[in-house]
Amino acid sequence: MSENHVKSLLETPLKVVNIGLESFSEALVEQGVEVVHLDWIPPGGGDPKLADLLSKLE
Amino acid sequence: MSAAAANGAAAGTAIVINQLRKGFYLDSVALMRFSRSIAAMPGVEEAALMMGTPANRRIMADAGLLNQTGEAAGGGDLILAIRAKTRPSAEQALTQSQALLDQPAAPGVGATAWRPRTLRAAVKHLPEANLALISVPGDFAIAEARKAIRRGLHAMIFSDNVSLAAEAALKQEAQTLGRLVMGPDCGTAIINGAPLAFANNVPRGAVGIIGASGTGIQEVSCLIGQYGGGISHAIGVGGRDLANEIGGVSTLMALDALASDAATAHLVLISKPPPAAVMARVLERVAGMGKPVTVCFIGAGIMPMPVNATQVFSLKDAARTALGLRQNGDTTPLKAPSDIRAPAERIAGQNTVRGLFSGGTLCAEAQAIFIAADARVASNAPIPGAGQIPATPPGHQLLDLGDDSYTRGRPHPMIDPMVRDQPIIDALSDGAVAVILLDLVIGFGAHHDPAGHLAATVMTHRQQDGPVVIASVTGTEADPQIRSVQIAKLEAAGIHVAPTNADAAAWSLLAAGPTVAA
Amino acid sequence: MQRIDDANRQAMDRILSADPVLVDVIPAAEAIPTLQDRMILHAGPPVDWERMCGPMRGAVAGIAVFEGWAADLQEAEAMAGAGAFDFQPNHHFDAVGPMTGMTTAGQWVMVVENRRFGNRAYCTINEGLGKVMRFGGNDAEVLDRLRWLRDSFGPAMGRALRSGDGVPLKSLVARGLSMGDEMHQRNVACTGLMLRALAPALAATADDTAGLSKALAFIGGNDQFFLNIAMTMGKAIMDPVRGIDGSSLVTAMSRNGTDFGIRVSGTGDTWFTAPVEMPEGLYFPGFTEADANPDMGDSTIVETIGLGGFAMGAAPAVAGFVGAGSASDAANFTRAMGEITYGDNPEWSIPGLDYLGVPTGIDIRLVVETGLAPTINTGIAHREPGIGQVGAGVVRAPMACFEAALQAFAASVGVA
C-alpha cells in the first residue's frame, strides 16, 4: 500500500469542494470553513452514452 | 421558458399534464420540496417535478403521472407532472410549478458570483482544497469521487444507490492513492472541527470516532459532548465498508490515521456486526494501535476483544466508556419517570411499542435494548435476534423510516419531518399500540424545527386513552435548533423526552409492560 | 488517457509558442496560387448555393460584379444558380473571412506569418461598419470601397509593411487586452496601436499626401479595422495545431450562416457541423430579431485562440453591448470558458481578473462534459441580401458539433 495521506487531512484546515446539496455549503460557511460550491450538472447533459464515452477518454 | 408545450391526457377521470424543460437541472431535494407544495394544492391528486432519468420516469409512470410527453424526456430534462381532478386545477398547478422554478435564487448568494461547474475548475480556484463533499445522484457520485481522489482530494460521499462493485473499485483506487473515501451513504463526519453533511456542533476533545453509520456517530458524539468530553475527529465510512466485498478499506485507513493522530487519545468504532473475516482484520488492526478503543457493533453478541479494546452494546455506553464513566459489566439502571402511565391503566390489547425512527442506527440500538430485555421485536431493518417485517406477526415494531424503501423519491425524514406524519397518525389511532417511540435528530443539515412539527402532529391527532409518546433528541445546545428548545416543545405537547435514545427505548418497554415478552 | 494528455500538451505548446507577425498585403491570387478565376471562398464549412443564407447570396452576387464576372447583381445570381462559380471554404486555402467571408482572386489580402512554424495565413481588409460586403451589402458604395481597397489602400499597406520587418502581433494583442479589447466585438485599442505602428511606414512609402491622409483616416475611422488582422493571426496560430493524432483540442470554429462547423486536431480536416443558432443581442434602431440572420463568419477563429467571448473579462464594455450585463458577468464568461479549455495563455492576461491568462485550447471532452458551449461575440447580419449589419450579440456554438466530434475523436483513439 502506498502512503496514507489521511493523517495530513486530519492535521490541515479543511477546505471543501461541495458537489450537490447547497445546504451543506451553507453550513460549512457558517462554521468558517472555506468551501467552493459547484454549479454541477450531470456530465454530458445526462446522456449516459456520452457520459460513458467521456469516462473512457479521461 | 418551457421547451415543450403542455400536453394533457385523461387517466381515468383524472387529468394528467406533463411538461418538459430541456436541459434544466435542479437537485432532487429542491424538486421534491416543490413537488410537495404543488401536490398540496386544491384539486391536485399527485404532482412530481423530477429529472427524466429512466428510473424517475418509471416512478412517475407507477404514480400515474406520466403521459407521452414525459415518456419522451431524457435524463437531462426536467419533467413537470401533475394529476388533478379537473383541468383548471391541473393548469393552475402547472403555473405554480413554473413560478417555483423561475423564482430568483435566494438573496445573499451573490447574483453575479461565479461558480465553477467542474471539480477541475474548483480546484484551480481553491488549490488547497482537500476534501470533496459529494451529494449528487449515485452513479454520478462515484465518477465525481474518482475525479476527486485522482486530484489528490479525499472524498465524502453522502449519496446512496451506488453498487457494491463500484464502491469496491473506488475504494481500492483510493487506497492505492492514499486517499480516504467516506461513504457512499455517509451521512456524518466531523473533520478537524468542521461538521460535514448531517453533523452536530460538538465540542472538540480527545475522542476519535469511526462509524459506518451517520446517526450512530451523531448520537455518540452528542452524548460525549453532553457528558463533558469532546471529539477530535469523527470519520464516517459508509454503511457497507465492512462488507466482505469492500473489506473495511476506509475503516482500516481511518484507524491508521487516528492511531497516529496526536489529538486523539481514545477511539470509538461503531458499526453493524461485520462478517467474520473483516471483523478479524479490523480487530487485529485495533490490537496493534496502542490506544484504548471502544467497540460498538450494534446487535452483535459478546465477542473476544484485544486487551486495549472494550466491547459495548449501545451508543450510550459507547459514549460513557470512551470517557471512562463506565466500567465493564456496569449497566445503567433503567427508571422511567413516574408520570408515564402505568401498564395497569392501559385498555385491553394496548400492549405494543411502535418505534418510528429517522435514524437507522438509533433504530438498531433500540432493537438491541429490546432484545437484551428479552422483548420480542421486529423491524424492516432487523438486527440479529429481531424479526423481519412484514414476515413477523404483530408485536413490538421498530421501523427505520430512513430506509431506502421509504425514501425513494421522497426526502429523508431528518430533512422533512412531514414524511413521518402518516405513520405517527396511524399509530396514534392503533388500538394495539401502547407506546410510540421516536427519535429526533437535529444539527446541521436537519430540519430547522422537527420538534415543533412533531408536537403539532401529536397534539392534533392524539386520542383519548391513545398511546403515550416517548422520544429522545440527538443534538447539542450549540446546534442551530438548540436541543433544550426542542425538548421543551416536545414536553409542552405531553411527549416524554428521555436523555438518550437507549433510555427512550428502555422507558418504552417499561411503559408498554411485559405482555409481549418473548 | 496518456496518449490524449501528451497530444494535447503538444497542441497547447504549439498554440503558445506561435509567433504571428503581420508581414504584407498582396493580391489574393498571388497569396493563394490555387485560387482560380470564378472561385469564391466563403466563411464556414462547405455550403452550396442552394443552402446559402440571404446575406451570403447577396455577397456572392456583389463579389461577382466586383470581379467582372457578371454585369449586374441579377446576372450574378443567375450565374451562381447555374453553377458558374466554384464555392470553397476559406479554411481550405489558409484563409479566413469575417461574416460572409468572400475571398476572390482580385481582392488584396493581409498576410500573417507564424515565424515559429513558417506558415502563413490570409484575410481580406476590413471594410468598416454599416453597409459592407461582409454583411451581405452589395450596392455601388460597397463595390467602390472594395475597388479602393484593391487599387489604393491594399498596395499602400503592403509597401509600408515590406519597408520594415512586419508588425509582431502577440505583444500588440497583449496590450490591447489591457486596454479593454477582446478582439472580436471590440478592436478599438488594437486598431489604434496598429495605426501607431503603421503610420510612419505608410507615410514614408506614400505616393501622395491625399492618398496617405485617406488611408490613415480609414484605419482611424474604423474601430473594427484590427478584427481581420486578429482573425488572420488566429488562423496562422491554429494551422500548425491541425492533425496531431490523439489531440482533443479544437483547431477551428466557423459558420456559414447555415451550418456551424468545428475541426478537432486529432480528427484532421473533418468538419463536424450542426445548424447555426441565432445570436442574442442588441439591435440597431429600426431592427429587431425578426430581421436577424443566423450566426455567420470565420471570425470565431479568435475564440479558438482564447479571445472574443473567451476574453470577455477584458472588455466589460462589450459585456454591456451584447446584453450580458455587468462587469462581473463579463468576468464570469471568461471563467466559465476556463472550464472547457486546456489552460491559460500567460502572455495574454486580463488585468481585471488578477492577470488571469485568457482560457486557451478548447477541449471537446470538457465542452461535452460540462455542457458549456463556447461563447462567441458576434455581429448580426440582416437575413435579406444587400442590407448589412443590424446588431451585435452573443451566440453559443451548437453542442451537437462537439458531441459528433467526440464520437469521431473517440473512434480515432480506439475507444467506442
Side-chain angles (χ1 to χ4, degrees):
Chain A
M1 195 174 78
S2 67
E3 195 189 346
N4 185 343
H5 297 273
V6 186
K7 188 169 181 286
S8 76
L9 170 71
L10 303 182
E11 290 165 350
T12 319
L14 197 66
K15 298 201 184 209
V16 178
V17 178
N18 187 49
I19 310 173
L21 295 172
E22 188 159 6
S23 57
F24 291 169
S25 276
E26 289 158 7
L28 286 166
V29 169
E30 264 173 49
Q31 296 299 300
V33 177
E34 217 174 324
V35 53
V36 176
H37 183 75
L38 284 200
D39 176 24
W40 186 86
I41 63 157
D47 181 338
K49 238 185 91 188
L50 285 174
D52 179 59
L53 210 52
L54 284 168
S55 73
K56 290 176 185 163
L57 291 171
E58 248 169 40
Chain B
M1 282 304 293
S2 63
N7 182 352
T13 55
I15 299 294
V16 174
I17 288 188
N18 285 187
Q19 193 179 62
L20 298 189
R21 286 198 177 193
K22 292 274 180 195
F24 185 104
Y25 175 79
L26 211 59
D27 79 65
S28 58
V29 171
L31 289 176
M32 284 185 285
R33 285 184 175 173
F34 289 162
S35 305
R36 194 185 71 196
S37 77
I38 298 300
M41 289 179 66
V44 177
E45 294 183 353
E46 188 57 84
L49 279 67
M50 294 184 103
M51 301 306 294
T53 60
N56 284 350
R57 277 187 274 130
R58 212 162 28 245
I59 290 169
M60 295 172 87
D62 291 348
L65 271 168
L66 214 60
N67 65 21
Q68 66 268 38
T69 301
E71 277 159 14
D77 303 334
L78 174 65
I79 307 175
L80 293 73
I82 290 145
R83 194 178 70 243
K85 292 187 177 67
T86 63
R87 182 162 293 280
S89 342
E91 278 165 2
Q92 206 179 342
L94 184 65
T95 307
Q96 178 65 19
S97 311
Q98 290 161 341
L100 285 172
L101 291 174
D102 294 333
Q103 72 191 1
V109 180
T112 55
W114 175 74
R115 283 182 160 181
R117 182 160 284 188
T118 53
L119 191 69
R120 169 180 180 265
V123 169
K124 223 195 279 182
H125 194 66
L126 183 64
E128 318 85 39
N130 50 11
L131 182 97
L133 173 51
I134 300 166
S135 54
V136 296
D139 292 343
F140 299 117
I142 288 291
E144 295 297 334
R146 197 180 304 124
K147 289 179 210 167
I149 60 170
R150 287 179 184 173
R151 288 188 179 276
L153 281 74
H154 304 275
M156 170 166 169
I157 307 173
F158 177 80
S159 325
D160 55 6
N161 287 315
V162 170
S163 76
L164 205 51
E167 177 175 345
L170 176 71
K171 285 185 168 174
Q172 273 152 26
E173 181 171 356
Q175 186 179 30
T176 312
L177 297 168
R179 308 294 159 182
L180 179 67
V181 173
M182 299 187 275
D185 199 13
C186 176
T188 304
I190 302 170
I191 304 293
N192 234 327
L196 293 158
F198 290 84
N200 301 88
N201 202 345
V202 297
R204 311 237 19 211
V207 181
I209 303 177
I210 299 170
S213 129
T215 46
I217 293 177
Q218 285 190 275
E219 175 80 353
V220 171
S221 62
C222 289
L223 292 179
I224 285 173
Q226 211 171 301
Y227 298 153
I231 301 300
S232 58
H233 308 281
I235 299 175
V237 293
R240 300 181 307 200
D241 189 63
L242 296 174
N244 275 324
E245 292 86 342
I246 312 294
V249 169
S250 297
T251 302
L252 296 173
M253 288 178 80
L255 280 170
D256 289 345
L258 289 178
S260 58
D261 177 50
T264 304
H266 192 116
L267 267 84
V268 177
L269 181 59
I270 310 164
S271 165
K272 290 178 290 191
V278 181
M279 170 132 49
R281 204 177 314 157
V282 168
L283 291 179
E284 183 192 303
R285 195 69 61 93
V286 164
M289 66 186 295
K291 287 182 183 179
V293 180
T294 300
V295 176
C296 181
F297 293 143
I298 293 273
I302 296 173
M303 54 188 60
M305 284 287 138
V307 288
N308 62 328
T310 310
Q311 188 185 12
V312 297
F313 302 91
S314 70
L315 301 169
K316 176 186 177 182
D317 285 343
R320 298 177 71 228
T321 306
L323 295 175
L325 301 174
R326 177 182 172 274
Q327 299 307 312
N328 251 337
D330 163 29
T331 51
T332 321
L334 296 172
K335 191 167 176 298
S338 57
D339 62 339
I340 292 185
R341 196 171 29 156
E345 298 168 41
R346 279 184 292 111
I347 43 181
Q350 203 183 14
N351 54 16
T352 66
V353 176
R354 176 78 49 84
L356 301 169
F357 288 88
S358 58
T361 303
L362 299 177
C363 181
E365 182 186 37
Q367 293 176 54
I369 303 276
F370 276 47
I371 291 165
D374 289 331
R376 199 171 69 215
V377 61
S379 176
N380 61 324
I383 65 167
Q388 172 77 53
I389 286 175
T392 308
H396 298 316
Q397 294 191 352
L398 302 179
L399 302 180
D400 174 10
L401 299 181
D403 189 70
D404 279 357
S405 55
Y406 286 98
T407 59
R408 195 158 298 146
R410 299 154 77 187
H412 192 279
M414 273 161 60
I415 303 174
D416 186 353
M418 203 184 244
V419 174
R420 198 157 60 166
D421 285 355
Q422 197 57 49
I424 290 173
I425 293 166
D426 292 346
L428 282 169
S429 61
D430 189 327
V433 176
V435 179
I436 298 175
L437 173 60
L438 301 167
D439 62 347
L440 207 80
V441 182
I442 60 172
F444 298 108
H447 187 266
H448 68 279
D449 183 19
H453 182 90
L454 178 59
T457 306
V458 168
M459 288 211 282
T460 310
H461 296 279
R462 83 152 32 111
Q463 318 207 343
Q464 184 81 36
D465 295 322
V468 299
V469 183
I470 299 174
S472 67
V473 178
T474 299
T476 72
E477 288 304 289
D479 282 334
Q481 302 91 339
I482 310 175
R483 183 166 181 265
S484 60
V485 170
Q486 294 285 299
I487 290 174
K489 285 185 184 181
L490 296 180
E491 288 180 339
I495 297 169
H496 302 277
V497 182
T500 69
N501 180 63
D503 291 322
W507 288 12
S508 70
L509 269 181
L510 291 175
T515 336
V516 200
Chain C
M1 200 184 279
Q2 194 61 42
R3 177 178 167 197
I4 300 175
D5 294 344
D6 292 345
N8 283 345
R9 194 172 306 113
Q10 190 187 359
M12 190 69 174
D13 282 348
R14 290 194 193 173
I15 296 172
L16 295 183
S17 65
D19 181 15
V21 181
L22 178 64
V23 292
D24 210 344
V25 178
I26 55 177
E30 191 181 310
I32 309 167
T34 50
L35 183 55
Q36 310 286 321
D37 190 42
R38 304 215 171 182
M39 187 185 264
I40 298 176
L41 307 187
H42 59 79
V47 64
D48 57 27
W49 175 256
E50 277 65 42
R51 295 185 69 241
M52 271 182 200
C53 65
M56 190 172 278
R57 286 183 170 208
V60 164
I63 207 71
V65 173
F66 167 80
E67 289 285 359
W69 300 330
D72 55 34
L73 297 173
Q74 283 80 358
E75 189 193 351
E77 283 196 28
M79 289 173 70
F85 308 129
D86 181 8
F87 296 113
Q88 296 287 343
N90 283 310
H91 266 287
H92 296 185
F93 292 84
D94 303 330
V96 282
M99 298 307 286
T100 57
M102 297 291 106
T103 310
T104 49
Q107 294 174 281
W108 283 54
V109 292
M110 301 184 289
V111 183
V112 170
E113 184 172 287
N114 183 343
R115 289 195 168 151
R116 171 70 180 78
F117 296 97
N119 61 298
R120 289 182 159 208
Y122 313 101
C123 182
T124 54
I125 297 159
N126 191 284
E127 310 159 75
L129 297 172
K131 199 185 275 187
V132 287
M133 176 155 288
R134 70 174 186 280
F135 286 99
N138 57 12
D139 66 8
E141 179 195 336
V142 172
L143 299 187
D144 280 348
R145 189 186 305 109
L146 287 184
R147 290 186 190 102
W148 175 74
L149 289 173
R150 176 189 66 195
D151 300 336
S152 175
F153 183 82
M157 196 171 154
R159 278 196 304 277
L161 285 165
R162 285 192 300 275
S163 73
D165 194 30
V167 182
L169 294 173
K170 237 178 171 174
S171 56
L172 192 142
V173 164
R175 297 181 72 184
L177 281 168
S178 72
M179 295 165 76
D181 279 1
E182 40 68 87
M183 265 57 70
H184 198 162
Q185 202 64 264
R186 189 176 194 274
N187 278 289
V188 61
C190 280
T191 296
L193 292 171
M194 182 53 74
L195 179 60
R196 229 170 57 158
L198 285 178
L202 278 170
T205 57
D207 295 331
D208 64 299
T209 52
L212 171 65
S213 174
K214 195 176 173 191
L216 294 173
F218 178 75
I219 299 174
N222 175 8
D223 286 351
Q224 285 289 73
F225 179 79
F226 190 77
L227 170 63
N228 293 32
I229 300 172
M231 289 171 58
T232 326
M233 170 186 75
K235 178 70 173 160
I237 290 173
M238 289 315 291
D239 267 349
V241 187
R242 284 159 53 195
I244 300 172
D245 182 57
S247 169
S248 55
L249 301 193
V250 172
T251 56
M253 297 193 290
S254 183
R255 48 288 196 241
N256 57 34
T258 304
D259 297 322
F260 193 110
I262 65 166
R263 281 170 152 182
V264 177
S265 181
T267 54
D269 289 339
T270 308
W271 289 101
F272 301 97
T273 64
V276 279
E277 303 198 353
M278 291 297 294
E280 266 182 62
L282 300 178
Y283 286 86
F284 300 159
F287 293 104
T288 69
E289 56 260 34
D291 300 309
N293 192 73
D295 191 25
M296 189 166 58
D298 288 329
S299 54
T300 30
I301 193 72
V302 305
E303 272 81 9
T304 317
I305 56 169
L307 302 175
F310 285 55
M312 192 93 93
V318 170
F321 180 53
V322 299
S326 66
S328 54
D329 280 342
N332 290 348
F333 273 99
T334 291
R335 289 205 179 92
M337 293 302 97
E339 304 227 26
I340 59 171
T341 45
Y342 180 93
D344 309 329
N345 184 340
E347 291 183 80
W348 285 345
S349 64
I350 300 177
L353 294 179
D354 299 327
Y355 293 93
L356 176 73
V358 296
T360 306
I362 302 166
D363 187 333
I364 57 169
R365 298 175 302 169
L366 298 175
V367 173
V368 175
E369 181 188 345
T370 60
L372 289 170
T375 299
I376 294 154
N377 292 348
T378 186
I380 304 172
H382 198 285
R383 60 192 169 80
E384 301 295 341
I387 296 177
Q389 184 172 9
V390 296
V394 166
V395 68
R396 292 278 184 179
M399 193 54 70
C401 298
F402 296 89
E403 290 173 359
L406 188 77
Q407 314 247 11
F409 174 74
S412 81
V413 293
V415 170

